[in-house]
Amino acid sequence: MSQRIFATVWLILCGIGIYIGWGIQSEFSYEPLGPRPFPIAILSLMALCSLALLFGKQEAIEWPKPYVLRRLVLLILSLVIYAWAFEWLGFPLATTLLTISVALLFGATRVAAFISGPILGITLFYAFDKLLDVTLPIGSLFN
């Protein structure tokens, strides 16, 4: 029953998000598609997943062990800090720090985490900025 309650609440939140996302307008065209399609696409996929959860086979729920819950809380905290520091630190640095923290949470070695973080942050920045022509903040720290 808790899966269906969660799926119903998530479906309602996705519907509200799609309604809000549909109203997104831009003063000027700075990207080929504009700002509307990305949130609508993501929220539509989440709504489809919640429908699958709502009408799918219900299984017995087993709560994760305490160390897994601790990692989940740290992951959520990392994402909140990423969202808060995104404009201030800029996309490359914020993404680098997020990648390092997520890699460490998922059991990567420190060397792998500290190598993959900057590579992913810089590569994604240039991929979005140069290839896809999506404007991302470099950070007020560096301006």
Side-chain angles (χ1 to χ4, degrees), residues 20-139:
I20 292 170
W22 197 261
I24 294 176
Q25 297 294 328
S26 178
E27 299 276 331
F28 54 92
S29 180
Y30 56 92
E31 295 173 0
L33 295 176
R36 184 187 302 172
F38 182 73
I40 289 176
I42 295 296
L43 288 165
S44 297
L45 287 173
M46 287 194 298
L48 285 174
C49 290
S50 67
L51 284 173
L53 190 62
L54 184 65
F55 295 115
K57 182 181 175 191
Q58 302 294 312
E59 297 180 13
I61 295 186
E62 184 178 323
W63 283 91
K65 298 188 178 2
Y67 75 93
V68 174
L69 287 174
R70 190 172 31 254
R71 284 184 177 185
L72 288 173
V73 168
L74 288 173
L75 180 63
I76 291 170
L77 185 64
S78 296
L79 290 170
V80 168
I81 292 171
Y82 176 74
W84 172 75
F86 184 76
E87 287 187 39
W88 179 62
L89 291 177
F91 181 84
L93 183 57
T95 303
T96 297
L97 295 174
L98 178 71
T99 303
I100 290 170
S101 67
V102 170
L104 292 174
L105 282 173
F106 278 88
T109 63
R110 289 180 191 242
V111 173
F114 283 96
I115 289 174
S116 64
I119 290 173
L120 190 64
I122 293 168
T123 304
L124 283 176
F125 178 75
Y126 281 107
F128 277 103
D129 193 51
K130 302 297 181 201
L131 297 176
L132 298 174
D133 210 20
V134 174
T135 307
L136 292 172
I138 192 72

